[in-house]
Amino acid sequence: MKPEDFKTKQEQLWAGEHTKAYIQRSDSPQLRASKAAVFAEILAHTRGVKSAIEFGANIGLNLLAIRHFLPEAKLSALEINETAVEALRKIEGLDVYPGSLLEFTPRQTWDMAFTMGVLIHVNPERLRDAYDLLYKASHRYVCIIEYYNPSPVMIMHRGKEDQMFKRDFAGELLQAHPDLNLLEYGFVYRGDPVFPLDDVTWFLFEKPQAGLAQVR
């Protein structure tokens, strides 16, 4: 799909040339190490994760971090940008779904469904759809790794307005799906001397065992 085929201007931005520049500046040995560290901590609070899907996977660094700890897990990626999709398809054994999370209908569930730095770029009027997708796609765990703010706020993103938002995504997810259980949460500081990340807060939830057939 072309960027103009998507409904929201946030989708249009990330489906277009903006993502190519993001890809170029978003991979380094330090970043890979930091991602591995945060997923090591998150996965330590889970049990029996044999499959996972990331919504907004970019070039797959988060999934590669998970694979390091769960080498036998079946991993999947949803990605809106064609350039990033091409990179994802080069990762052996990865199921790749091109498209927007706002238009994706899961035909199965995964043990864990997650986002990292993606909800912050979703049109606020469509966040409920994103929350519902995370819930529906998960057989057991939902994880979000995003910028946190107690109240909704828009922040400039590389000179652009209405493209990045901070809010209490976790609280809103719990309001949308109150049967979720908050298992653990944590914060990663950009000034961490060993494994820095960009001031992200992660939340791990568990849902009741129900839903569609689980991926194997």
Side-chain angles (χ1 to χ4, degrees):
M1 295 178 66
K2 298 178 180 179
E4 57 268 24
D5 293 332
F6 294 99
K7 296 179 181 179
T8 71
K9 61 182 179 181
Q10 293 81 15
E11 293 171 290
Q12 292 168 5
L13 178 75
W14 288 97
E17 295 295 317
H18 181 81
T19 295
K20 292 183 179 180
Y22 177 83
I23 290 172
Q24 293 174 356
R25 66 175 183 269
S26 297
D27 188 9
S28 69
Q30 177 62 74
L31 181 60
R32 289 181 180 237
S34 295
K35 286 178 177 287
V38 72
F39 279 103
E41 185 174 2
I42 291 168
L43 292 172
H45 298 284
T46 67
R47 295 292 183 273
V49 173
K50 297 181 180 179
S51 61
I53 185 168
E54 179 178 11
F55 298 121
N58 195 253
I59 59 173
L61 298 188
N62 300 322
L63 291 164
L64 289 173
I66 290 175
R67 178 171 284 175
H68 179 77
F69 301 105
L70 303 174
E72 302 301 320
K74 183 65 174 177
L75 302 180
S76 302
L78 177 73
E79 174 54 44
I80 195 172
N81 185 271
E82 291 183 357
T83 300
V85 166
E86 292 176 4
L88 289 168
R89 284 178 170 154
K90 295 178 182 178
I91 299 176
E92 185 176 355
L94 181 67
D95 289 336
V96 182
Y97 299 92
S100 168
L101 65 85
L102 298 180
E103 299 177 2
F104 182 65
T105 301
R107 296 182 181 274
Q108 68 274 315
T109 59
W110 292 259
D111 288 327
M112 185 170 73
F114 74 97
T115 65
M116 184 172 187
V118 170
L119 297 180
I120 58 173
H121 297 298
V122 173
N123 187 302
E125 296 182 359
R126 299 294 307 276
L127 274 173
R128 177 58 191 260
D129 295 327
Y131 299 147
D132 290 348
L133 174 61
L134 282 162
Y135 186 87
K136 291 175 183 176
S138 165
H139 177 72
R140 185 169 183 180
Y141 298 108
V142 174
C143 183
I144 58 173
I145 310 164
E146 306 284 346
Y147 296 152
Y148 171 82
N149 203 64
S151 59
V153 61
M154 186 275 292
I155 57 179
M156 295 294 291
H157 176 65
R158 298 192 173 271
K160 299 180 183 295
E161 293 185 345
D162 295 327
Q163 290 292 346
M164 182 181 288
F165 310 90
K166 295 196 298 184
R167 56 200 300 144
D168 183 3
F169 298 104
E172 293 176 358
L173 178 59
L174 283 171
Q175 288 182 349
H177 297 284
D179 59 337
L180 287 172
N181 177 39
L182 177 60
L183 293 181
E184 191 56 86
Y185 59 93
F187 174 73
V188 187
Y189 177 44
R190 70 177 67 194
D192 187 285
V194 182
F195 298 121
L197 276 175
D198 196 14
D199 290 350
V200 294
T201 304
W202 59 266
F203 298 86
L204 179 67
F205 304 89
E206 188 172 21
K207 65 176 292 189
Q209 300 298 292
L212 302 173
Q214 186 178 11
V215 167
R216 295 295 184 188

